Amino acid sequence: HWNYYRCIAKMEGIEAARDGLQMWIHEAIPIAGIDVINTILDPAKDLLGEESAILAAKEWLQISSPHDPAHKMTKRWMERINQGELRKISWRELPACPVQNHQPLLIPLNNGDLMVAGGIDSSGRPSPKSALWSNKSKSWTPLPPLPVGLKNHSGIAINKGSIIVLGGTAATENGESTYSKRVFQWSYSTGSWKEIASLQIGREFCGVSLGKSGQIIVIGGENPLQTQTSVEYWDRRSNNWMLGVSIGLSLQEIQLQRVQDQIIIAGASVSSSGFGAILFDLNTQKFSQPKALQGIGLDGAHPISSGEIVIWTKKSGEINIGIWSPSHETIHWTCKEIELPHRGDLACVYPYEDNNFTLLFSQNDENIGSYIIDPTSGTLTPLRAPNKDLPPSDYRACPFPYGLFVITPQSSWLLSY
């Protein structure tokens, strides 16, 4: 099918073949095996454009086995494309997002688009506004509003066509309802929001991750009066939330990161419990605490291609970034005492490609400063905005297939890779 549409492109032009090429590229990559570069990836770069070819390669790598012959060749092609990439990284100003809220929720979709939903409006109330950034058209489209205004909520893309938004603080006729149980789903097919089964426990600033067989897993964010955290699962077939195991800790504003069959739980409330991170095993449905991280206040964690975990921890006026090896139970702090000149609570670390990360931080003038960091080598590369300052420190950011999105109430920026 892939070669058929390549012929169509040659005879009738790329527009006649584009949809077919995009439809079959994911199936063609593994079939091509060790010839994937010559038969699939390089032709895709020429026919569909470099961005589309890279996105398709990234999506396939996420679901493929490292033992697949095409996997290593695809990674080699990505490395070749990315040679000299640090020199090509730059900030690019985008059209302002129509959702001009403070602290909106940003959700990257699996097809390369980006959704912005909710937040705090100019009057300080939870907002129902939502909008979609289309990577294809490079533009924003206002979406139907959420059924209620939301802030401090969470969300995740469950496939290429839909997302789930849940919890938070919801606007009501009489004021606000904190620790909401309500759950909403949006899909491309309907272009609208619908309410689905409610959580069993109201949550705010909770962590959400994909589990096995398409399940959504929610952890933390319960009312502080609750003395323990319970896991909840959503089964899309029955549209029900089911309670799982509990742990005798109150976990607020946590970060979840899935690594194979385990979920790493990190955040300030985890650190205050005496553990740097907590692991939740998807197979055994049990919590555990890695001994190597005890007493270390982790603010985040993310896996890299070696199987190790990049971790970071903020202290007064600085941030430290290192590599944790779960198999050897060791930590090597490769980037120590990186200065945070202003508002250390606003500093955030985001993954960029395999082993590189982006650090955003607020400067003394309240504009954003940024670094590209390679924790494996300890390399720290400063980045500057061309010709003008970056947006002020009231921002939200999230990784994107082609870079890092940064949104403020007044502007949108993309750190292009």
Side-chain angles (χ1 to χ4, degrees):
H1 289 88
W2 169 260
N3 287 329
Y4 167 78
Y5 283 104
R6 284 180 65 186
C7 293
I8 294 295
K10 186 173 182 179
M11 294 185 295
E12 301 180 20
I14 182 58
E15 292 308 318
R18 185 183 300 277
D19 290 345
L21 290 169
Q22 291 176 334
M23 179 185 301
W24 291 104
I25 187 170
H26 293 90
E27 184 171 327
I29 289 175
I31 293 174
I34 61 173
D35 295 323
V36 66
I37 293 178
N38 294 328
T39 60
I40 309 297
L41 298 175
D42 279 346
K45 179 172 174 287
D46 295 335
L47 293 168
L48 300 174
E50 184 174 296
E51 286 189 354
S52 295
I54 290 174
L55 176 60
K58 286 181 177 179
E59 290 177 342
W60 184 77
L61 284 172
Q62 289 177 351
I63 62 173
S64 63
S65 167
H67 304 293
D68 191 313
H71 188 96
K72 293 182 179 179
M73 299 304 295
T74 300
K75 292 200 70 172
R76 185 177 301 175
W77 179 80
M78 293 282 289
E79 292 168 359
R80 189 186 74 192
I81 291 292
N82 294 333
Q83 282 182 352
E85 189 170 9
L86 287 178
R87 292 190 294 274
K88 297 189 292 184
I89 291 177
S90 62
W91 287 100
R92 180 158 58 97
E93 191 168 11
L94 305 175
C97 177
V99 178
Q100 297 180 335
N101 294 331
H102 298 271
Q103 302 175 17
L105 176 66
L106 276 62
I107 306 175
L109 279 74
N110 296 337
N111 66 351
D113 291 345
L114 178 79
M115 175 173 283
V116 179
I120 304 171
D121 64 19
S122 58
S123 66
R125 292 266 295 166
S127 171
K129 290 184 178 180
S130 63
L132 187 73
W133 169 264
S134 169
N135 183 63
K136 185 176 182 179
S137 65
K138 302 294 189 293
S139 63
W140 290 101
T141 300
L143 297 177
L146 286 153
V148 296
L150 290 176
K151 66 179 182 180
N152 308 334
H153 49 304
S154 303
I156 193 170
I158 56 177
N159 50 45
K160 288 188 177 182
S162 61
I163 70 164
I164 293 289
V165 169
L166 52 82
T169 295
T172 66
E173 293 182 0
N174 301 323
E176 296 179 359
S177 175
T178 58
Y179 302 98
S180 172
K181 297 181 180 180
R182 302 182 72 177
V183 183
F184 305 100
Q185 183 177 7
W186 179 89
S187 67
Y188 277 103
S189 60
T190 64
S192 61
W193 294 95
K194 71 173 182 179
E195 187 163 6
I196 61 175
S198 296
L199 294 163
Q200 295 201 32
I201 299 174
R203 301 173 186 266
E204 192 177 51
F205 294 116
C206 59
V208 57
S209 176
L210 292 177
K212 289 188 170 184
S213 303
Q215 284 184 327
I216 291 180
I217 297 177
V218 179
I219 301 175
E222 296 96 338
N223 188 307
L225 296 178
Q226 291 190 220
T227 58
Q228 63 182 11
T229 283
S230 297
V231 180
E232 284 195 61
Y233 305 87
W234 180 57
D235 186 330
R236 70 178 69 182
R237 291 167 294 186
S238 63
N239 189 26
N240 285 319
W241 288 90
M242 300 171 291
L243 280 177
V245 297
S246 299
I247 185 171
L249 299 171
S250 178
L251 302 180
Q252 305 293 317
E253 298 188 47
I254 58 173
Q255 178 205 84
L256 303 187
Q257 180 63 57
R258 180 172 172 179
V259 181
Q260 296 179 348
D261 288 340
Q262 288 191 321
I263 293 177
I264 302 174
I265 308 169
S269 59
V270 180
S271 301
S272 64
S273 70
F275 302 101
I278 296 173
L279 302 181
F280 178 68
D281 192 299
L282 295 173
N283 294 319
T284 64
Q285 304 291 302
K286 292 182 178 180
F287 291 101
S288 63
Q289 297 84 33
K291 293 182 179 180
L293 297 178
Q294 289 185 8
I296 299 175
L298 287 194
D299 289 286
H302 197 278
I304 55 177
S305 58
S306 65
E308 297 172 311
I309 313 295
V310 171
I311 57 176
W312 52 93
T313 176
K314 290 183 281 189
K315 298 181 180 179
S316 177
E318 67 181 40
I319 186 170
N320 295 288
I321 301 176
I323 296 179
W324 162 41
S325 174
S327 59
H328 296 92
E329 297 187 359
T330 59
I331 298 175
H332 181 40
W333 296 104
T334 55
C335 299
K336 299 180 66 176
E337 301 178 356
I338 303 172
E339 183 182 0
L340 301 176
H342 176 73
R343 292 289 304 275
D345 60 305
L346 294 174
C348 296
V349 177
Y350 300 95
Y352 131 64
E353 292 305 318
D354 286 337
N355 298 327
N356 292 304
F357 289 74
T358 307
L359 168 64
L360 299 185
F361 58 94
S362 178
Q363 302 182 112
N364 287 324
D365 59 4
E366 297 189 359
N367 291 315
I368 293 177
S370 54
Y371 290 106
I372 292 296
I373 297 175
D374 182 353
T376 59
S377 65
T379 304
L380 190 71
T381 306
L383 298 173
R384 299 183 182 277
N387 304 324
K388 59 168 67 178
D389 290 332
L390 289 174
S393 57
D394 180 17
Y395 67 87
R396 279 290 186 268
C398 73
F400 187 67
Y402 307 122
L404 181 74
F405 247 96
V406 178
I407 293 180
T408 77
Q410 299 81 23
S411 61
S412 305
W413 290 75
L414 178 65
L415 182 59
S416 302
Y417 302 146

